[in-house]
């Protein structure tokens, strides 16, 4: 099962662009592969805003290759949310499925914001 599911580019509906099921709560370990996958859609990511309760403590910056990515913890009301800002002023909003979730729960997670995971 894919760990990242995105709505089709340009699809309208809700504020979520997809769901992501990371393997751990270590944001620093999980982000590089996600950033690489999303760069096709929004270019190089320069900022990530994440739900501070969903991840272990992270520094304010992550260096991937020759790029520094700003990391900002935020207390999201719905939790399990990740905002990624690309170089072309594009943004992707993901619902984060808890790493401990079983495969079925992760697979059935909706791509809209109407149901919390």
């Amino acid at each position: 099962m894919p760990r990242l599911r995105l709505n089709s580019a340009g699809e309208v509906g809700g504020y979520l662009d997809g769901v992501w099921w990371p393997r751990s709560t270590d944001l620093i370990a999980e982000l590089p592969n996600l950033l690489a996958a999303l760069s096709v859609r929004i270019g190089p990511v320069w900022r990530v805003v994440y739900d501070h309760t969903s991840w272990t403590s992270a520094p304010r910056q992550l260096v991937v290759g020759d790029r520094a990515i700003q990391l900002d913890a935020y207390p999201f009301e719905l939790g399990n949310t990740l905002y990624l800002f690309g170089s072309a002023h594009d943004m992707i909003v993901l619902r984060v499925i808890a790493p401990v979730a079983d495969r079925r729960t992760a697979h059935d997670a909706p791509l809209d914001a109407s149901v919390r995971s």
Side-chain angles (χ1 to χ4, degrees):
M1 120 139 239
R3 295 268 175 175
L4 174 66
R5 290 183 315 168
L6 296 173
N7 293 332
S8 300
E11 184 176 334
V12 178
Y15 72 86
L16 289 175
D17 297 300
V19 295
W20 177 45
W21 184 29
R23 297 179 190 283
S24 75
T25 60
D26 183 349
L27 186 64
I28 299 305
E30 297 293 335
L31 273 179
N33 288 334
L34 178 66
L35 298 176
L38 294 177
S39 69
V40 172
R41 193 177 242 182
I42 62 172
V45 172
W46 65 272
R47 181 179 182 210
V48 175
V49 179
Y50 64 95
D51 174 42
H52 74 285
T53 62
S54 300
W55 302 96
T56 56
S57 183
R60 300 267 307 149
Q61 190 176 68
L62 169 66
V63 177
V64 178
D66 62 347
R67 298 188 54 80
I69 295 103
Q70 178 181 334
L71 303 178
D72 294 314
Y74 186 81
F76 289 108
E77 183 177 328
L78 293 178
N80 296 334
T81 306
L82 194 71
Y83 285 72
L84 301 106
F85 297 86
S87 61
H89 301 290
D90 289 325
M91 176 181 67
I92 287 184
V93 182
L94 299 176
R95 167 181 290 136
V96 179
I97 306 302
V100 296
D102 61 55
R103 181 179 291 273
R104 179 119 177 121
T105 300
H107 180 268
D108 292 345
L111 290 174
D112 64 41
S114 61
V115 179
R116 288 175 54 183
S117 55

